[in-house]
Amino acid sequence: TSIKNLFKILSIMSKKTFSKLISEKFQISRKKAEDLIKNKKVLLNDNIESRPYLVVQEKDIVSLNEPIEKKVNIILFHKPKGCITSRSDEKNRTIVYDYLPKKFNHYHYIGRLDYNSEGLLLLTDSTTYKRKLESPKSNIKRVYVVNVIGSFNDLKLKALNQKIYAAKIYKNPHVSLTHTNKNKHTLRFELTEGKNREIRNICEIFNLKVERLKRISFGQYKVKSIPISKYKEMTIHESY
């Protein structure tokens, strides 16, 4: 009986109204969700559904009959070295939100830069836009300038541009040599997905010590005009 009751509770918890599900999925107001449903702009399991208060389940598939445009607020932050991309830190180190006004505390960071990395960090008030930019399926290019120390030649450069098999598999990072001076080199990495510490791990595989790692762009967004530790606000209109 207790197991049956548990299943009953879980079943109730997984249910909600159609308008609430749409509101949460597309980050729009409940009123806007109701209007879209009543105007037959939304599909439920590939069929038009016009009843906003219909009880649905999380597993139901919802989609829009036509795109909706939503305002998305973005911050381009020039992250310095020596701060954590996190909302808090158990070691009480500086976090990226310490550099931003409190009104941005609810913004979500898109991807991460580790403690010793610097450069462009994007933050947004839209979880949908965050997921889109972070997804490998979006194929969005991130560009990094990396200063390394160690022996380097054309053979190593060629190997860096192949699929790298290690503890994790790194799919063909696009790497170019932009400057070299004895055993100090500047590399440009272009990646389309951001695995944890990917560049540092790749460099370690090739016996290259990372001196400096800076992200200079993320898709259409660039850090160039933003002073270190400062930020720039932007608003875009994104279709879903």
Side-chain angles (χ1 to χ4, degrees):
T1 307
S2 60
I3 293 172
K4 280 184 180 177
N5 288 338
L6 178 62
F7 276 117
K8 193 174 180 181
I9 292 165
L10 289 171
S11 177
I12 292 165
M13 285 173 66
S14 70
K15 291 178 180 178
K16 57 183 69 175
T17 64
F18 190 29
S19 60
K20 186 178 181 186
L21 188 63
I22 293 299
S23 172
E24 290 173 356
K25 181 175 172 63
F26 298 104
Q27 290 194 301
I28 55 177
S29 69
R30 191 75 69 85
K31 174 74 170 62
K32 172 120 185 182
E34 288 174 10
D35 289 343
L36 286 170
I37 294 164
K38 287 174 183 175
N39 291 319
K40 300 183 178 181
K41 305 284 188 189
V42 188
L43 302 176
L44 175 64
N45 298 322
D46 292 329
N47 295 306
I48 290 172
E49 178 52 69
S50 58
R51 294 170 291 173
Y53 306 114
L54 179 74
V55 175
V56 296
Q57 293 191 328
E58 289 280 4
K59 66 181 182 182
D60 285 321
I61 299 165
V62 297
S63 56
L64 296 169
N65 214 358
E66 58 184 55
I68 58 166
E69 201 172 75
K70 188 173 183 296
K71 189 171 78 169
V72 176
N73 296 309
I74 303 165
I75 289 174
L76 283 67
F77 174 55
H78 191 158
K79 178 192 174 296
K81 283 178 72 172
C83 72
I84 298 286
T85 306
S86 178
R87 292 192 178 276
S88 60
D89 182 57
E90 57 191 23
K91 296 177 183 175
N92 207 28
R93 291 172 293 183
T94 305
I95 59 173
V96 292
Y97 293 94
D98 291 333
Y99 292 92
L100 303 171
K102 286 184 179 175
K103 65 178 180 178
F104 298 126
N105 279 359
H106 67 291
Y107 276 42
H108 312 277
Y109 44 82
I110 300 172
R112 291 172 182 263
L113 285 173
D114 64 36
Y115 186 74
N116 288 315
S117 297
E118 58 192 283
L120 181 62
L121 180 70
L122 300 176
L123 298 96
T124 180
D125 60 351
S126 166
T127 54
T128 308
Y129 192 61
K130 168 184 163 70
R131 284 194 298 271
K132 178 184 172 181
L133 263 63
E134 287 180 340
S135 172
K137 291 178 184 174
S138 298
N139 209 36
I140 295 170
K141 185 166 71 175
R142 302 126 160 104
V143 180
Y144 303 80
V145 173
V146 188
N147 298 111
V148 297
I149 300 172
S151 63
F152 200 82
N153 53 34
D154 290 343
L155 202 64
K156 192 171 275 192
L157 181 61
K158 188 177 179 182
L160 275 166
N161 281 281
Q162 307 294 321
K163 196 171 189 177
I164 299 165
Y165 294 90
K168 289 181 180 176
I169 295 170
Y170 300 105
K171 299 175 185 175
N172 299 57
H174 186 271
V175 186
S176 56
L177 178 66
T178 60
H179 184 262
T180 187
N181 182 17
K182 296 180 181 175
N183 71 331
K184 292 192 173 187
H185 322 279
T186 304
L187 304 175
R188 178 186 169 98
F189 275 75
E190 293 180 8
L191 309 175
T192 51
E193 61 176 303
K195 288 181 179 171
N196 184 34
R197 295 179 64 84
E198 179 167 357
I199 292 172
R200 293 185 186 277
N201 290 340
I202 289 171
C203 288
E204 191 178 336
I205 290 164
F206 288 90
N207 295 315
L208 296 168
K209 184 186 175 187
V210 174
E211 248 192 337
R212 187 184 185 208
L213 195 161
K214 180 178 181 178
R215 180 157 62 200
I216 59 170
S217 68
F218 192 127
Q220 63 181 305
Y221 306 107
K222 294 177 172 53
V223 79
K224 194 175 180 181
S225 61
I226 305 164
I228 198 157
S229 303
K230 301 296 182 185
Y231 68 92
K232 175 181 169 184
E233 291 181 73
M234 284 183 72
T235 300
I236 64 165
H237 289 87
E238 186 74 4
S239 292
Y240 297 111

